[in-house]
Structure formats: structure tokens, C-alpha cells
Amino acid sequence: MRADEAEKLFRSGYNCAQSVFAAYADLFDMDFETALKMSGALGGGVGRMREVCGTVLAMSMIAGLKEGNADPENEEAKEHIYALVRRMSNMFKERQGTIICREILGIEGMEESAKPSVRTPEFYASRPCAGIVRCAAEIIDEVLFS
């Protein structure tokens, strides 16, 4: 299970999307730095706008790498990946109540600043994000790798 690795990455300072996505990068012959760069902008609900949770976006990206489609004419393959992402997102929503970052955090609207929060012991204690990262990795393992 990669949930421990994803949570460890989050607790070491990477954002939610990076933590989930990078925990699986090696399975797709992707180097760690590339994985971090690809997923870095998705943290905080996409650029800290508090929209769809970065972990849900990372789950979608991993699903795409594992079972995605590169043929624009293959409607069946498109439907398959969309259905897979919906299934995973619904599982996340059942476990967390929502896929929206601001709702998970209990805040209103977009953050005023794009500047990330300083990671302190108080930050980790006050946010559910480490558990959210773990949840997303557990869903990935369950759906894509079991």
C-alpha cells in the first residue's frame, strides 16, 4: 500500500496532489521530480483556489496513466476512463463527504492569497489533509491496484 508513502510526503512539506501523485510515479517509470512538477499546481484545490481537492485530481491523473486513452476516436475508452474517475471520486465523496477542498476544510470561497500555509505542527494538527491524502491513496490501491 502506498498510503504510508503519500502521507509521509505530505508531512514532509509536499502539497496534497504532489503527495498522492508522486507516491505512484515509479509505477509509470516517471521520475520523482517530474511527478512533483506535474502535480504541484493542483494543490489546495487547484492553485489554492479551494476547488476540487488536489488528491482527487491526483487520483484522476493516476487513473489516466494506468487506464487512460490516447485515441481521440475511441469513444469506448473515453467512457471507460470517465466512469473510472467518477467511481473513484464517488468513493472519495462517500468517505469524506465532498470532493471540494474548501468544504473539506470548512472555509468559505477562495483563499485571498496564493501563498501556501506555513507547515507547522499546528498546521498538521488543525487540518484533515494528511488523512485525506491517505484516503485518496487507499482508493487508488483499492480500485487500480488490487
Side-chain angles (χ1 to χ4, degrees):
M1 239 172 99
R2 302 224 170 196
D4 291 336
E5 177 64 16
E7 185 175 348
K8 178 181 167 188
L9 289 170
F10 182 77
R11 290 186 182 281
S12 70
Y14 294 107
N15 74 36
C16 56
Q18 288 175 311
S19 300
V20 173
F21 190 71
Y24 293 86
D26 64 302
L27 298 178
F28 303 99
D29 296 321
M30 182 182 298
D31 68 274
F32 188 69
E33 184 176 341
T34 298
L36 293 173
K37 288 179 178 181
M38 283 183 65
S39 56
L42 303 176
V46 185
R48 205 163 184 260
M49 292 187 294
R50 305 302 184 198
E51 297 296 336
V52 174
C53 177
T55 66
V56 174
L57 299 168
M59 286 191 313
S60 300
M61 291 171 58
I62 293 165
L65 285 171
K66 179 141 189 321
E67 298 194 25
N69 170 48
D71 178 359
E73 304 297 319
N74 190 338
E75 297 299 320
E76 187 175 301
K78 289 179 189 179
E79 181 180 7
H80 170 73
I81 195 61
Y82 293 160
L84 183 60
V85 167
R86 285 177 172 213
R87 177 179 169 214
M88 294 171 73
S89 296
N90 285 334
M91 290 171 72
F92 185 92
K93 190 173 185 176
E94 287 172 9
R95 296 175 190 184
Q96 301 303 326
T98 184
I99 64 168
I100 304 300
C101 176
R102 69 178 161 273
E103 293 173 3
I104 291 168
L105 297 178
I107 60 176
E108 295 287 325
M110 185 171 85
E111 297 281 352
E112 289 293 320
S113 171
K115 184 176 181 176
S117 301
V118 176
R119 299 292 182 89
T120 63
E122 294 77 24
F123 169 89
Y124 291 112
S126 69
R127 296 281 178 102
C129 302
I132 300 296
V133 164
R134 175 172 285 283
C135 174
E138 289 170 351
I139 291 168
I140 291 165
D141 287 341
E142 184 179 331
V143 174
L144 299 175
F145 298 105
S146 63

